[in-house]
Amino acid sequence: MPHATPEAALFARLPDALAAALSAPAYAAHLAGIDPASVTDRAALARLPVLRKGEMPARQREALPFGGFVPGPAGGFARLFTSPGPIFEPQRAGEDPWGGAPALEAAGFRAGEVVLNTFGYHLTPGGFIFDTAARALGCAVIPAGPGNTEQQLDLIEAYRPAGYVGTPDFLKVLLDAGAKAGRDVSSITKALVSGAAFPPSLQAELRERGIAACQAYATADVGFIAYETPGEPGLLVNDGLILEIVRPGTGDPVPEGEVGEIVVTVLDLDRPLIRYALGDLTAALPAEGDSSRIRGWMGRADQAAKVKGMFVRPEQVAEIARRHPELGRLRLVVTRADEADVMTLRAEAGTAESALAEAVAETLRAVTKLRGTVALVPPGTLPNDGKVIADERPVG
């Protein structure tokens, strides 16, 4: 597509991905009545239902192995994995099935270098996600996996890897063990880390030890979603997928800068994912040119709480917002008083009229089947953190 923007090129491919998804029985039911040819922009995509990752273990148990969401048979894929849930996942086709080579290149990895890969290779796809990315870039990979620290130090001294991929925690373990044992681990000067928190204190420590480390946000089912590019804010959204940020409990996109749940669409004809809600929170950064950037992982969107023996879910808070469009952000706060659960819905509103508070309280009771109070607060009062249910009851 000459002169097409990356966004336009993605949406030109979307109808084919939708048609492929509709050939899978569960997707055919989930997307019933959809005309793939009509879904060619973000507004049309936002009208499709989301498919939540949290639902997949149960959906797959109903129709093993993939729940009817994969068009072809399991035997048509190169490798078959399981990840916690369990969720069963096939490996996509191609040299870089999970799209990780650009992330490694952005982190400074280059063809001909040796990479120590400490992600697990057993049953879960983590090791293969980073292995195929490094090999697609032209690197040699040491398939070390996690643990076995002393043997890993032997490998580092023998092969002199320039790069490390794995969790940031285990990189520190290796460096500390090497220093304590007087082993030479100085060949490692760059790292691409994922799978665990990477606090500023650890980032600073690695810099002091001569290692330039970047972060990647990846999942077992999608692959590389976004990654750090040195000197730039946030994380760059990976090419080849469509990322949306929606209000938790809904499929409705939030305004730019608002914290919401990550929803991805993967345009793979053998393993399409259409509006797949990951349960992770983030916010979009201001767009620059054709690139999209996000702030990174900002917590979980699945904030269900059990109140007086009944679950209250973000979808119910979203339903209250739908019934009262005059409200802004909502936050349902759960506390304890007199040995009983107490719900307070804090709602941004342009007025503090008691009639509005009473109407919202009645909606709260109708939607959740539980009684609670409503506190109307001025617009902009509630934090922009994507949290719609705050369980503030003491633990223990």
Side-chain angles (χ1 to χ4, degrees):
M1 293 185 60
H3 311 298
T5 65
E7 174 100 346
L10 286 173
F11 278 93
R13 294 168 51 200
L14 179 56
D16 287 341
L18 281 168
L22 288 168
S23 68
Y27 261 132
H30 181 69
L31 300 173
I34 298 299
D35 175 13
S38 69
V39 187
T40 56
D41 58 26
R42 286 189 176 271
L45 179 62
R47 289 192 286 270
L48 303 186
V50 297
L51 175 64
R52 300 197 174 280
K53 180 173 181 174
E55 302 172 3
M56 288 307 292
R59 300 292 292 268
Q60 290 186 342
R61 283 194 298 271
E62 293 171 359
L64 291 170
F66 304 127
F69 288 100
V70 174
F77 295 94
R79 294 186 181 94
L80 303 169
F81 301 103
T82 181
S83 55
I87 296 177
F88 300 106
E89 287 295 337
Q91 176 179 318
R92 296 187 181 90
E95 182 183 40
D96 185 15
W98 293 278
L104 284 168
E105 188 170 30
F109 291 64
R110 296 294 181 264
E113 293 180 334
V114 176
V115 176
L116 179 72
N117 183 6
T118 66
F119 283 110
Y121 281 79
H122 179 63
L123 296 180
T124 61
F128 290 97
I129 289 174
F130 284 80
D131 187 296
T132 53
R135 292 172 63 192
L137 194 60
C139 299
V141 179
I142 305 170
N148 300 312
T149 305
E150 187 156 341
Q151 188 174 14
Q152 299 234 19
L153 295 175
D154 291 340
L155 291 167
I156 293 169
E157 288 188 327
Y159 287 118
R160 310 301 295 157
Y164 165 96
V165 295
T167 66
D169 314 56
F170 189 61
L171 177 55
K172 176 174 167 55
V173 168
L174 282 176
L175 296 174
D176 288 348
K180 184 176 181 180
R183 308 292 293 271
D184 184 4
V185 296
S186 62
S187 64
I188 298 177
T189 58
K190 63 194 75 174
L192 184 63
V193 299
S194 189
F198 191 29
S201 57
L202 182 52
Q203 296 174 35
E205 179 179 340
L206 293 181
R207 282 195 300 270
E208 291 170 2
R209 300 173 90 156
I211 298 176
C214 292
Q215 306 176 64
Y217 169 47
T219 66
D221 31 23
V222 177
F224 281 77
I225 297 167
Y227 54 89
E228 190 175 2
T229 54
E232 300 289 339
L235 304 180
L236 179 68
V237 176
N238 205 8
D239 291 340
L241 60 82
I242 300 170
L243 185 143
E244 302 170 89
I245 302 173
V246 307
R247 200 168 305 285
T250 77
D252 303 330
V254 300
E256 184 179 282
E258 188 91 2
V259 177
E261 182 179 8
I262 297 171
V263 170
V264 294
T265 295
V266 179
L267 307 175
D268 184 279
L269 301 185
D270 296 321
R271 182 38 174 137
L273 288 172
I274 308 299
R275 300 207 80 201
Y276 193 58
L278 297 175
D280 292 327
L281 295 173
T282 195
L285 293 174
E288 296 183 4
D290 293 328
S291 64
S292 298
R293 307 187 77 90
I294 59 175
R295 286 173 59 184
W297 187 85
M298 298 178 66
R300 293 290 295 169
D302 45 357
Q303 302 160 22
K306 184 174 278 190
V307 181
K308 297 180 180 178
M310 295 179 62
F311 276 107
V312 180
R313 302 182 184 279
E315 293 88 341
Q316 293 171 305
V317 180
E319 175 60 18
I320 297 169
R322 189 189 67 79
R323 297 189 189 186
H324 294 277
E326 68 272 31
L327 300 178
R329 293 193 184 109
L330 303 180
R331 177 171 297 202
L332 186 66
V333 180
V334 185
T335 56
R336 294 279 290 177
D338 298 326
E339 300 304 322
D341 293 337
V342 176
M343 289 197 318
T344 302
L345 180 66
R346 304 191 70 209
E348 293 183 352
T351 176
E353 293 180 2
S354 60
L356 175 59
E358 290 169 6
V360 175
E362 178 59 28
T363 303
L364 173 64
R365 187 192 64 78
V367 170
T368 66
K369 313 305 180 190
L370 295 165
R371 293 190 180 278
T373 59
V374 172
L376 300 180
V377 299
T381 301
L382 298 179
N384 176 23
D385 58 6
K387 184 175 288 189
V388 295
I389 298 177
D391 190 342
E392 297 181 358
R393 291 171 292 190
V395 178

